[in-house]
Amino acid sequence: MKDNEARKELLRSVKFLFFSISAGAIQMGSFALLNELLHLDYWFSYLISLSLSVIWNFTLNRKFTFKSAANVPIAMLKVAAFYAVFTPLSTWWTAALTEPSYGIMWNEYVVVVLTMVINFVTEYIYDRFFVFANSLDTAK
């Protein structure tokens, strides 16, 4: 029984990884479009691209990774609570690491990728053990 549960968790984490990669592609593509072509401020480009990727990632992971039949608005509110903390923090550190006024001047894309890795790890833990903890595999 434990071996079956371990396989199930491994499969769940692999699905989360692949859906997160697809969300990352959406985030990077929309970020590049907004930042490079439209020349919007970094933080604004980041916020829009993050929002698009969150909606995509939530939708796919709720249905296919966690297979949750939980109340969608409540699950979305829980995810929104995560991003109510993550977004201001990540917006602050991306600005601090990329804007000339702070003097650090890291490459914008390096910061986006590092932020996406932090987001991936923390969101998986949060989703698995808080958002969908009591509703795993309840969808038909």
Side-chain angles (χ1 to χ4, degrees):
M1 187 76 145
K2 287 182 182 180
D3 196 35
N4 188 33
E5 288 299 315
R7 272 190 234 139
K8 208 180 220 183
E9 280 305 312
L10 178 62
L11 181 59
R12 193 181 323 274
S13 61
V14 169
K15 285 180 186 178
F16 192 86
L17 172 66
F18 284 115
F19 289 138
S20 295
I21 289 170
S22 71
I26 288 169
Q27 185 172 348
M28 289 300 282
S30 60
F31 176 80
L33 175 72
L34 298 167
N35 190 51
E36 300 296 333
L37 294 178
L38 299 179
H39 304 290
L40 299 178
D41 286 338
Y42 178 88
W43 67 270
F44 191 65
S45 299
Y46 170 71
L47 288 175
I48 292 172
S49 63
L50 177 65
S51 298
L52 293 172
S53 73
V54 167
I55 293 166
W56 174 265
N57 206 27
F58 172 82
T59 303
L60 292 177
N61 280 310
R62 185 190 68 79
K63 183 172 177 108
F64 299 110
T65 302
F66 301 108
K67 298 177 184 174
S68 174
N71 184 306
V72 173
I74 290 173
M76 272 284 230
L77 282 173
K78 289 178 179 179
V79 171
F82 173 85
Y83 281 98
V85 174
F86 183 83
T87 303
L89 284 174
S90 62
T91 302
W92 169 77
W93 78 58
T94 54
L97 293 172
T98 61
E99 290 182 7
S101 58
Y102 288 93
I104 298 174
M105 295 294 297
W106 283 16
N107 179 279
E108 295 166 336
Y109 292 94
V110 169
V111 175
V112 169
V113 169
L114 291 174
T115 301
M116 290 168 70
V117 170
I118 293 166
N119 186 1
F120 166 74
V121 172
T122 56
E123 188 176 5
Y124 179 80
I125 293 167
Y126 183 82
D127 285 356
R128 170 63 181 85
F129 296 104
F130 179 66
V131 176
F132 301 113
N134 297 322
S135 65
L136 291 173
D137 302 322
T138 57
K140 300 208 182 270

